[in-house]
Amino acid sequence: MTQTPWLQLRGITTYFAENNVTANDAVDLDIACGSVHALVGENGAGKSTLMHVLSGYISAGAGRIEVDGKPVQIRSPADALAHGIVMVHQHPPYVPGFRVWENIVLGMERTGRAGLLDRRAAADMVTACASRYGISVDPHARMNRLAASQIHFVALLGALLRGPRLLILDEPTAPCTEPEVALMFALLRSLQAQGTSIILITHKLGEVMQVADRVTVMRNGAVVATTAVAETTAPRIAELMIGEDCQIGDFDRRLVQALAGDGHAAGATGLHSRPPRALPTGRDSTLELHKVSVYVGALAVLDNINITAQAGEVLGVTGIRENGLEFLEDVLSGSIAPDRGVVLLDGKPVKRYSPRHFRHIGISYIPTDRILRGASMDSTVAENLILLQRKELQTGGVLRRKDITAFTEELKRRYGITGVLHQPMKRLSGGNIQKVILSRELSGLRKVVVFSEPSWGLDLRSRDLMYSEMRALRDEGALVVLISADIDEVLSLADRIAVMYRGRIAGILEAEDRTRERIGEFMLGFQEHNITAAGERTNG
Amino acid sequence: MAEKPAASRAPPRAQTPETVVALLAALLVTVLLLVFGSPNPARALRAFFLGPFSNRYYFGNMLDGAGLLLIAGLGVSAAFRAGVFNLGGDGQIYIAGLVAAVVCLALPQAPALIGIVLALVAAVAVGMLLAGVCGLFKYLWGTDELITSFLISAAIVPSVSYLIVGPLRNQQSNLLTTERIAEHFRLLRLLPPSNLNLALLFALLLAPLAYFLLYHTVRGYELRITGLNREFARYGGIAIGAYTAMPMAISGGLHGLSGAFAVLGTHHAAIQGFTIGLGWNAIAVALIGRNHPLLIIPAALIFAYMEAGAKAAMLHTEFSFELGAIIQAVIFFMITAQVALPRLWLRPRGRSTAA
Amino acid sequence: MIFNAVEIMTPILLAALGGLFAELAGVLNIALEGLILAGAFAGILAGAASGSLVVGMLAGALAGGLLAAVFTFFSIRLRANIFITGLAVNLLAAGSIPFISTWMFGTKGVLRFPDLPRLPRLLEGVTSGVGFIDSLLFGHSATVYLAWLLVPLALVALYRTPFGLRLRAVGAREDSVIIAGVDAVAYRRIAVLISGVAAGLAGAAISLRLGVYLPNISAGRGWIALVAIYLGYRHPIGILIAALLFGFTESLAGAAQGLLAIPGTVLLGLPYAITVVAMITYSALRARGQRRRRFMDAHF
């Protein structure tokens, strides 16, 4: 393994002025020919940004890139492609109305007579490449008919047809089933055998240990360590990801172990074996989804969902993204109305499905999409903070300036928001934006609080703060719903866990049978354990 | 579903440097046109720059024009602030002017106050109706209000002209105009012989009122939030449907008000084409004033000055052409353009390389 | 009447076909009106000066293209608000043409060019024996056939060439093209230029057919074309049908004028009125069954 690195990144620095974030801070990285190089780190560590720089999708503020020892300029994806650098994005962008072959040949079209598109050649090319790597895809299928994992494979095919020397994959297995993962890894090995280098962005350390030669750990935009996979262990990598230099508490230690996939160790230290809490009975609030279905076209993205949650518990909902979590989020926040079924609060069906009405009846909601839904980036921080309290902060329709100042200062202090209240929201960092949203959503008395992917982009300290807020809410008697694709987050916080698979509840796990393995089985659809809290059967 | 967010566009906004650049560019183009297009450049230039200040008549008319622009400009920004476009201002002003004149002509015996109030109310109502339906269609079916408001206005302008030159024409006058409204309906002239009248004072009171409503009330807050991020507004329980239709109606109402004042204060009759172009000028004014009610005051004054200057230049030289539209065009081109200006403070200082 | 409808339809069809390129590339081109006006003015000037209708048409196309280039410079290069710059184009055309006209001819009113050759009529005397088909197909101005020819051309360019594939991808999902190494901005710019050239042709077709230039000769056809793009479901064939519908309605209205004694002035507003009614009806019909679209966009 002492080849001259084929690709060298030196001092790559990327700064986003919009939210004042330095996503990459003087990053160095060497990639050897024909190696599988894993890039790991927590959300927001700067992995994707670094690869976006390398693939020309965004431009770095500083640093240089050398291929074969020669400095190269990568200003656009076209430049990167010219050097054989191809990236498959985490959410590959595609044109919904296009056919598979159209989407794949975009930018490398072949023409036949009179400069017209040669459709047959394109379709044949796609089919040939697909069968070579054992991928099954219909080149004439419409993109918007494909499942998330198929879209990923289509993007991968497009990348392969560009003859990559370096293939960058961003979380490629996230939407995949177990056999699809196996297929993908086999594909990676055969590419590797042909001399293609591969960079694999992932946060699944098991995958790193399984396929990677080397691993680079990033944290807070910087490289923490690069090492041969053979010379390290998963727990060691996890520790590097979380950070060993800062004081890590008991909770973080357990998180480290959980991340490393070391279920037994974590269980032993109590992370997964929170003492089973007696579900509070006879408390005021219940939230029930009764036979809720949502369709997109003919596809049931939510399929006959039945769940009941009660005041004083945290109901976790997990699953792989694109298995219905985002639609559940929309239904629970009133953003969309179910096509079938009802949402009941305290046993009464909600009158209208609008966020306005849901707010009115006491449901608070922290959305996944903070930039578009959770915040108004061009408004001031203070204006973002008072959104839900605007009615309390007015007299006869006129806003009370003094009270607004006092109120917002108080939230800022309590949640440690760094930023100026009268500055635009877009000046804040991602973590502070989430703090603004959290403090706003928790500022009033709410019966129900829905959290969706609340820890994305938060550093550990803010995450801890949020987790304790969540627990405090529950202990005060609120009903908390936590929608998160992060198994460990759900495991450590939720009293009961519903696992979604393809729009259905694959199973609801009570305290005693919650393990990573069980959840994993449900997530990937290996089990259809159709029980609900009420014990009735829910067939998809 | 009770509410659904219609697709929205970001409110057009200008930054300070762009505003200055746009105004300077408009000035430069005007000067160039006068220099190269006029047989007597020196006289044309002097007329352009000093004409509006040369006597009470011109000065007063300029201020009167600023007042009308101010009201209509507030109307434009009411829509912009909520993230909707009202491109039908021109027609709304025109028809509202006619309606105000007709109300006064129909009730010549009515007491002054009642007649004036009725004329204003009718004019505002017709403006609100014309723009409001576009907002309503946008809310109901997502019909693009930018296109519908323009089209409705364009469809109405010829009919208004027809009424003025046809059935409602004052046969005694050489002008294509309706009869003049009764003396007691005419607003007090402040600087005779110019057209300057009470409407300007009213406009100057309206701007701070609009500022207060926009920045110090819950509804103003909700409107601004809706304009900046519809999804966020909906998420926060703001009735975004209301803030699609209402701002359009308010915008139309203010345009209507401007048209009514053009009759009650300025012209005392509806004349063919008498307000044409005012609606577009108001868009320029709103943009120069960055959609801020208080900044729209100087914006209206600056624009009225440029317009009055152009008029003076045309009157004082043999040359006549539409300087107004060209000034508008230059401003529209430049005002939202992101002219590359050094913004060094946004770049980070290079950090030391990690070991 | 059908014959008239086809003649009236032609500029709308030309402008709408060009506008379709911009629309599919993600630009709502509200500058069509001004681009048509520029094409009409430049077309008749060049046509009269050279005595050649072909030169006139080319000049119209060039004027539309140049003005569209100014439009893209501000709206795309300088990232100015596209609607405000679109208005600027309309105002610039409406404001500068009287200026040039006064400078060259001493009037900003009607310009007559008696020496201008008349637009030839093609396939005159050809008959299929069916009156309806005859008036639809034969004996029209040459520009009508040009517009018809552009329908299949647009169809092929948009749906059968790499250019069209990329252009549509730019409008539908810009980043899907960017990651494929394609300069999306360039495609957007070219699309607007195409719409400018087509609108310029449309303008020249109007003025060369009339043989005179009148102030505001475009008479809202740019806006009608814009609406025709939507009514035609953003497809060349659909646009052909929408443009024919507009042409037919307008010629009906023209005929009705004589019968019902509608004042001529009022009639000037009629095309706008028809268009807005069509647009509102269309969106109301379309709004049904569309409520899921937003969530598709949000989640897929």
Side-chain angles (χ1 to χ4, degrees):
Chain A
M1 292 297 291
T2 48
Q3 285 166 292
T4 352
W6 170 68
L7 176 82
Q8 289 182 302
L9 305 185
R10 287 292 175 269
I12 300 292
T13 300
T14 318
Y15 173 75
F16 294 115
E18 309 90 76
N19 49 8
N20 190 25
V21 166
T22 303
N24 293 144
D25 192 357
V27 172
D28 295 348
L29 188 68
D30 292 346
I31 303 294
C33 227
S35 70
V36 176
H37 197 117
L39 196 54
V40 299
E42 293 197 86
N43 288 319
K47 304 163 293 189
S48 292
T49 305
L50 184 68
M51 291 301 106
H52 284 163
V53 168
L54 182 55
S55 62
Y57 196 60
I58 56 177
S59 55
R64 62 175 203 279
I65 300 171
E66 291 182 7
V67 175
D68 286 330
K70 286 185 282 291
V72 296
Q73 292 284 343
I74 295 181
R75 288 192 209 85
S76 68
D79 291 343
L81 291 171
H83 293 291
I85 299 169
V86 188
M87 176 160 180
V88 177
H89 291 249
Q90 187 177 4
H91 299 286
Y94 62 92
V95 184
F98 274 16
R99 298 186 186 283
V100 165
W101 71 265
E102 288 180 308
N103 214 71
I104 287 178
V105 300
L106 202 56
M108 45 178 269
E109 305 87 351
R110 285 198 202 155
T111 51
R113 265 169 303 161
L116 299 186
L117 274 175
D118 193 339
R119 305 175 181 190
R120 183 172 295 167
D124 288 349
M125 184 170 81
V126 170
T127 313
C129 186
S131 60
R132 186 168 150 210
Y133 292 102
I135 302 167
S136 71
V137 63
D138 172 13
H140 296 289
R142 295 250 181 224
M143 289 302 290
N144 47 4
R145 299 261 165 203
L146 301 186
S149 66
Q150 284 177 300
I151 286 165
H152 234 100
F153 275 103
V154 167
L156 186 59
L157 268 179
L160 293 175
L161 280 167
R162 282 172 169 82
R165 294 182 67 191
L166 170 65
L167 183 63
I168 302 164
L169 301 172
D170 193 351
E171 304 276 6
T173 59
C176 293
T177 61
E178 201 71 18
E180 285 172 332
V181 172
L183 175 64
M184 185 155 315
F185 286 168
L187 194 153
L188 293 190
R189 288 205 190 85
S190 81
L191 279 175
Q192 190 184 9
Q194 294 162 31
T196 306
S197 308
I198 291 150
I199 296 178
L200 180 66
I201 301 177
T202 182
H203 55 228
K204 296 180 182 160
L205 298 187
E207 291 179 359
V208 175
M209 304 312 287
Q210 199 182 337
V211 293
D213 304 320
R214 293 181 72 75
V215 57
T216 291
V217 182
M218 289 187 73
R219 193 172 67 233
N220 294 333
V223 169
V224 183
T226 298
T227 165
V229 169
E231 290 160 17
T232 189
T233 59
R236 173 70 193 138
I237 298 174
E239 222 166 86
L240 287 166
M241 280 165 68
I242 303 283
E244 53 193 341
D245 47 343
C246 63
Q247 281 281 327
I248 55 172
D250 192 31
F251 177 75
D252 298 336
R253 175 92 48 209
R254 280 178 273 129
L255 204 60
V256 165
Q257 287 155 341
L259 269 167
D262 196 347
H264 291 295
T269 50
L271 182 69
H272 298 160
S273 57
R274 164 198 297 284
R277 289 160 38 90
L279 280 181
T281 47
R283 291 291 293 266
D284 14 25
S285 291
T286 58
L287 180 70
E288 186 184 352
L289 295 185
H290 180 69
K291 296 186 174 171
V292 165
S293 296
V294 170
Y295 296 91
V296 171
L299 179 71
V301 288
L302 286 185
D303 190 358
N304 201 17
I305 303 285
N306 288 289
I307 327 175
T308 306
Q310 291 176 14
E313 77 164 331
V314 175
L315 173 70
V317 183
T318 190
I320 297 167
R321 298 294 305 170
E322 269 113 35
N323 275 275
L325 296 186
E326 60 278 41
F327 286 96
L328 192 70
E329 174 186 343
D330 280 354
V331 168
L332 282 176
S333 60
S335 302
I336 62 174
D339 292 298
R340 297 224 182 101
V342 282
V343 177
L344 302 104
L345 184 68
D346 302 340
K348 290 188 294 273
V350 296
K351 285 202 195 80
R352 266 179 295 125
Y353 291 90
S354 77
R356 187 180 168 77
H357 185 62
F358 275 49
R359 294 270 184 214
H360 185 69
I361 57 178
I363 299 176
S364 199
Y365 157 52
I366 289 114
T368 307
D369 188 337
R370 288 121 195 213
I371 307 296
L372 272 175
R373 186 177 279 181
S376 172
M377 301 308 274
D378 289 315
S379 303
T380 65
V381 175
E383 285 172 341
N384 271 277
L385 284 169
I386 63 167
L387 180 70
L388 302 179
Q389 303 294 320
R390 59 185 190 276
K391 297 276 163 61
E392 280 75 49
L393 292 166
Q394 53 108 21
T395 318
V398 179
L399 293 166
R400 297 193 307 268
R401 286 278 133 182
K402 256 191 199 148
D403 291 352
I404 287 178
T405 312
F407 172 73
T408 51
E409 287 288 355
E410 166 64 14
L411 287 188
K412 181 183 168 190
R413 194 188 50 73
R414 198 181 333 152
Y415 286 85
I417 299 164
T418 19
V420 184
L421 286 172
H422 62 262
Q423 273 194 346
M425 193 72 174
K426 60 186 169 197
R427 295 275 179 83
L428 298 192
S429 70
N432 272 307
I433 289 172
Q434 181 69 334
K435 283 188 205 168
V436 168
I437 297 171
L438 272 172
S439 62
R440 177 185 68 218
E441 293 299 319
L442 305 181
S443 58
L445 272 177
R446 311 280 157 191
K447 280 189 192 168
V448 178
V449 186
V450 178
F451 289 81
S452 188
E453 306 293 353
S455 58
W456 281 8
L458 282 192
D459 54 42
L460 264 175
R461 217 166 303 280
S462 331
R463 201 177 286 195
D464 244 350
L465 176 76
M466 182 197 61
Y467 288 165
S468 49
E469 287 279 351
M470 203 185 290
R471 293 201 184 92
L473 271 173
R474 175 196 56 197
D475 296 342
E476 288 159 13
L479 189 164
V480 178
V481 180
L482 168 65
I483 301 172
S484 171
D486 184 341
I487 299 184
D488 299 300
E489 184 169 280
V490 176
L491 269 174
S492 66
L493 289 162
D495 299 303
R496 286 186 305 137
I497 299 174
V499 187
M500 296 201 65
Y501 177 69
R502 299 219 166 146
R504 290 191 299 274
I505 300 276
I508 295 183
L509 303 178
E510 304 286 342
E512 60 275 12
D513 54 3
R514 297 176 322 177
T515 60
R516 284 186 65 90
E517 292 69 32
R518 294 273 288 160
I519 292 177
E521 286 168 9
F522 285 120
M523 269 176 134
L524 296 170
F526 295 157
Q527 289 230 20
E528 292 256 350
H529 186 125
N530 293 323
I531 52 161
T532 64
E536 61 183 271
R537 300 197 57 91
T538 63
N539 281 312
Chain B
M1 236 178 316
E3 298 168 62
K4 55 181 175 241
S8 167
R9 38 180 74 90
R13 282 184 307 167
Q15 305 295 320
T16 313
E18 280 81 1
T19 312
V20 174
V21 169
L23 285 173
L24 287 178
L27 210 57
L28 183 72
V29 169
T30 311
V31 166
L32 285 177
L33 284 177
L34 287 175
V35 167
F36 291 105
S38 163
N40 189 340
R43 210 164 68 184
L45 281 178
R46 191 160 67 231
F48 177 75
F49 283 107
L50 302 178
F53 301 108
S54 59
N55 58 40
R56 281 160 68 96
Y57 180 72
Y58 285 135
F59 185 67
N61 281 0
M62 177 187 79
L63 289 183
D64 179 49
L68 297 181
L69 273 176
L70 175 51
I71 298 172
L74 289 172
V76 172
S77 67
F80 276 167
R81 273 299 177 125
V84 286
F85 269 61
N86 178 9
L87 286 195
D90 232 24
Q92 290 151 17
I93 295 171
Y94 195 32
I95 194 175
L98 178 67
V99 165
V102 166
V103 168
C104 291
L105 292 173
L107 308 163
Q109 306 302 330
L113 195 65
I114 290 177
I116 290 172
V117 168
L118 274 180
L120 289 177
V121 167
V124 168
V126 75
M128 286 183 83
L129 181 74
L130 281 187
V133 291
C134 300
L136 190 68
F137 292 145
K138 163 93 163 188
Y139 166 54
L140 290 176
W141 306 310
T143 320
D144 196 332
E145 84 290 352
L146 181 153
I147 298 178
T148 50
S149 61
F150 173 84
L151 289 174
I152 290 179
S153 163
I156 273 173
V157 166
S159 299
V160 174
S161 286
Y162 163 75
L163 289 174
I164 292 176
V165 304
L168 300 174
R169 181 166 176 198
N170 176 6
Q171 303 297 339
Q172 272 76 54
S173 171
N174 298 327
L175 290 170
L176 295 168
T177 168
T178 62
E179 307 232 5
R180 290 166 68 78
I181 58 171
E183 292 272 356
H184 61 286
F185 294 137
R186 301 177 189 171
L187 295 181
L188 179 67
R189 289 266 152 112
L190 298 179
L191 198 68
S194 81
N195 293 334
L196 183 62
N197 59 77
L198 279 178
L200 177 71
L201 296 184
F202 188 84
L204 287 175
L205 289 177
L206 202 58
L209 178 68
Y211 171 78
F212 177 79
L213 291 174
L214 199 58
Y215 284 94
H216 289 272
T217 66
V218 177
R219 292 195 182 278
Y221 168 82
E222 293 182 344
L223 182 140
R224 284 185 294 123
I225 292 284
T226 308
L228 289 171
N229 186 342
R230 257 181 151 60
E231 177 70 22
F232 176 70
R234 186 173 121 91
Y235 153 88
I238 294 173
I240 55 167
Y243 289 100
T244 307
M246 271 315 286
M248 282 298 280
I250 292 170
S251 174
L254 285 167
H255 280 102
L257 194 60
S258 178
F261 280 134
V263 168
L264 297 176
T266 309
H267 298 287
H268 301 160
I271 308 162
Q272 189 195 12
F274 72 132
T275 60
I276 292 302
L278 184 53
W280 302 113
N281 286 337
I283 294 178
V285 164
L287 290 172
I288 294 170
R290 294 155 67 182
N291 295 323
H292 190 291
L294 296 181
L295 290 179
I296 289 176
I297 298 176
L301 284 170
I302 292 171
F303 202 88
Y305 167 65
M306 285 173 60
E307 231 207 338
K311 255 186 210 146
M314 277 154 59
L315 263 153
H316 282 267
T317 63
E318 301 76 54
F319 201 77
S320 71
F321 56 85
E322 285 302 314
L323 255 183
I326 294 180
I327 293 176
Q328 281 169 1
V330 174
I331 287 178
F332 283 1
F333 270 129
M334 302 295 293
I335 193 98
T336 61
Q338 313 212 339
V339 186
L341 292 164
R343 295 209 171 120
L344 296 171
W345 62 90
L346 286 181
R347 300 250 158 71
R349 308 286 311 193
R351 299 205 196 167
S352 59
T353 315
Chain C
M1 199 146 62
I2 292 169
F3 185 87
N4 256 340
V6 173
E7 293 281 340
I8 293 170
M9 161 212 84
T10 300
I12 298 172
L13 178 59
L14 278 168
L17 282 176
L20 177 65
F21 282 80
E23 174 68 27
L24 288 178
V27 178
L28 175 65
N29 189 354
I30 67 166
L32 287 181
E33 182 78 8
L35 296 168
I36 292 177
L37 208 55
F41 187 65
I44 201 162
L45 284 194
S50 68
S52 157
L53 291 168
V54 173
V55 172
M57 290 299 281
L58 288 178
L62 185 69
L66 282 177
L67 194 54
V70 175
F71 181 38
T72 60
F73 175 77
F74 283 98
S75 63
I76 297 176
R77 176 76 198 281
L78 296 183
R79 287 179 290 163
N81 182 292
I82 197 128
F83 302 109
I84 300 296
T85 18
L87 289 182
V89 169
N90 291 339
L91 290 167
L92 183 67
S96 57
I97 289 172
F99 175 71
I100 300 169
S101 171
T102 314
W103 179 56
M104 289 176 69
F105 304 103
T107 172
K108 53 183 181 179
V110 179
L111 302 178
R112 293 181 193 285
F113 299 93
D115 302 335
L116 191 76
R118 286 191 55 81
L119 207 57
R121 299 190 174 277
L122 302 183
L123 306 177
E124 240 171 338
V126 180
T127 177
S128 65
V130 184
F132 162 76
I133 293 176
D134 283 356
S135 47
L136 192 65
L137 292 181
F138 306 127
H140 286 291
S141 311
T143 46
V144 171
Y145 298 98
L146 173 72
W148 276 348
L149 194 68
L150 287 183
V151 174
L153 216 62
L155 205 57
V156 170
L158 286 170
Y159 296 94
R160 295 285 183 270
T161 64
F163 169 79
L165 189 74
R166 293 175 182 191
L167 188 104
R168 288 182 293 132
V170 167
R173 188 79 201 262
E174 187 173 13
D175 45 358
S176 72
V177 192
I178 293 173
I179 60 160
V182 175
D183 184 353
V185 173
Y187 275 83
R188 185 162 288 146
R189 204 180 271 187
I190 291 168
V192 175
L193 288 181
I194 290 174
S195 77
V197 168
L201 279 176
I206 299 171
S207 60
L208 291 173
R209 177 164 167 268
L210 293 177
V212 288
Y213 181 84
L214 320 155
N216 194 25
I217 193 172
S218 51
R221 286 192 183 83
W223 295 91
I224 298 173
L226 205 57
V227 175
I229 296 173
Y230 288 103
L231 294 187
Y233 283 86
R234 313 206 311 166
H235 192 278
I237 305 285
I239 287 172
L240 174 66
I241 295 167
L244 259 172
L245 271 177
F246 276 121
F248 197 69
T249 326
E250 230 187 297
S251 76
L252 255 183
Q257 181 195 7
L259 295 172
L260 303 173
I262 303 171
T265 342
V266 174
L267 217 61
L268 285 176
L270 198 66
Y272 298 105
I274 294 169
T275 313
V276 75
V277 169
M279 173 139 181
I280 292 165
T281 315
Y282 163 81
S283 60
L285 291 176
R286 221 183 124 92
R288 297 160 154 224
Q290 272 232 333
R291 71 190 187 103
R292 283 277 166 250
R293 226 173 78 108
R294 187 178 77 82
F295 311 112
M296 295 272 287
D297 293 348
H299 296 309
F300 285 90

